[in-house]
Amino acid sequence: MAKAFGKIILAGEHAVVYGYPAIAMTIDLEVRINARLSDKPGLVFLNPQIDPEHKSAGLFVEVLPKLTELLGPRVRELEFQIDSDIPGGCGLGSSAALSVGLIRAVLDFLGESRSSEQIAGMALELEKIFHGNPSGVDHTVIAQEGLIWFQRGHAEKIIPKRPLNFEISMASPHAGTRAAVQAVRHRYDQNPSGTMQIFEAISQLTFDMRRAIEQGDLPEIGRLMTENHALLKKLGVSTDELDALCAQAIQNGALGAKLTGAGGGGCVIALMPK
Ligand code: MEV
């Protein structure tokens, strides 16, 4: 059984599409995929909630031909049984986990192995089906696992000095990562300098957050998360519901809170004091 975890982004989403850094981490929700020979090859979703967003867009049709291109003709003989804990359309990396999980499932079936970098490279091709022009942060952190710093295709592990505990709360699903990324692109085209200023500020706080993580300064990490949320709101990707969830988390004692992923719905992550 192949597995892939979901992910959260601690800082830098959207700006990362424009070449700025991001910090991302895998979480213990996973997709499980079993690939077996079958006279009815194809994708079988054991959990219909896996990703309504992508299913309805009919994008899954393109996945197996791409997987065949990447891993060879035996893919056409396989039935993929897919079960997932990761809710779709919520910014938790459901499609990237599916991409990485499918590749791992084929490799398991073939009895082959690849490095996490090679798996991430192949997952990028699948992610392009779902998201058009992804930065690569989602499938890279999912392929590598743990906590990473990501910028322009380069990823490195970050070692936190103290454990990071997040609570995740869920708002309504978003309209899709592709739509959110396009909305930001539109904003950028309308107002390049104003949008760049927001990206620069996000980039600065992402560097600061890395330092705070390596120093174990939890209050500072929380403060920077809340600052990141305010900038994402300025960028137009938050919603009243996400803002309210952040405020509530902080009122309940979180050190900081922000939306995670594409926004426009989805999830809020809150850093817990312990
Ligand atoms: C989505 O999880 C993160 C975005 O920055 C898109 C991307 O990086 O491709 C919104």
Side-chain angles (χ1 to χ4, degrees), residues 53-96:
E53 174 200 340
H54 298 137
K55 246 183 165 173
S56 58
L59 295 170
F60 283 128
V61 179
E62 298 173 40
V63 167
L64 287 181
K66 182 54 78 181
L67 205 55
T68 308
E69 205 180 300
L70 294 167
L71 287 163
R74 299 230 50 199
V75 169
R76 287 198 211 103
E77 301 166 35
L78 300 177
E79 176 186 278
F80 295 89
Q81 292 190 329
I82 301 164
D83 190 15
S84 181
D85 308 327
I86 311 167
C90 287
L92 299 181
S94 60
S95 70

Side-chain angles (χ1 to χ4, degrees), residues 43 53-54 57-70 95 98-99 102 122-134 139 178:
L43 304 178
E53 174 200 340
H54 298 137
L59 295 170
F60 283 128
V61 179
E62 298 173 40
V63 167
L64 287 181
K66 182 54 78 181
L67 205 55
T68 308
E69 205 180 300
L70 294 167
S95 70
L98 180 67
S99 301
L102 284 170
M122 290 189 269
L124 171 64
E125 297 306 312
L126 296 181
E127 272 288 89
K128 282 184 189 161
I129 296 173
F130 295 122
H131 296 322
N133 182 27
H139 66 264
R178 187 188 278 261

Side-chain angles (χ1 to χ4, degrees), residues 7 9 12-17 91 93 131 133-138 177 180-181 260-263:
K7 67 90 191 54
I9 296 183
E13 53 270 268
H14 287 291
V16 69
V17 175
H131 296 322
N133 182 27
S135 69
V137 64
D138 290 8
T177 302
V181 169
T260 186

Side-chain angles (χ1 to χ4, degrees), residues 94-149:
S94 60
S95 70
L98 180 67
S99 301
V100 171
L102 284 170
I103 291 161
R104 286 180 177 158
V106 177
L107 291 171
D108 278 3
F109 174 80
L110 296 173
E112 292 179 13
S113 68
R114 298 278 194 287
S115 68
S116 57
E117 285 81 8
Q118 287 170 318
I119 291 175
M122 290 189 269
L124 171 64
E125 297 306 312
L126 296 181
E127 272 288 89
K128 282 184 189 161
I129 296 173
F130 295 122
H131 296 322
N133 182 27
S135 69
V137 64
D138 290 8
H139 66 264
T140 301
V141 70
I142 289 169
Q144 300 210 354
E145 301 181 355
L147 179 64
I148 66 158
W149 174 265

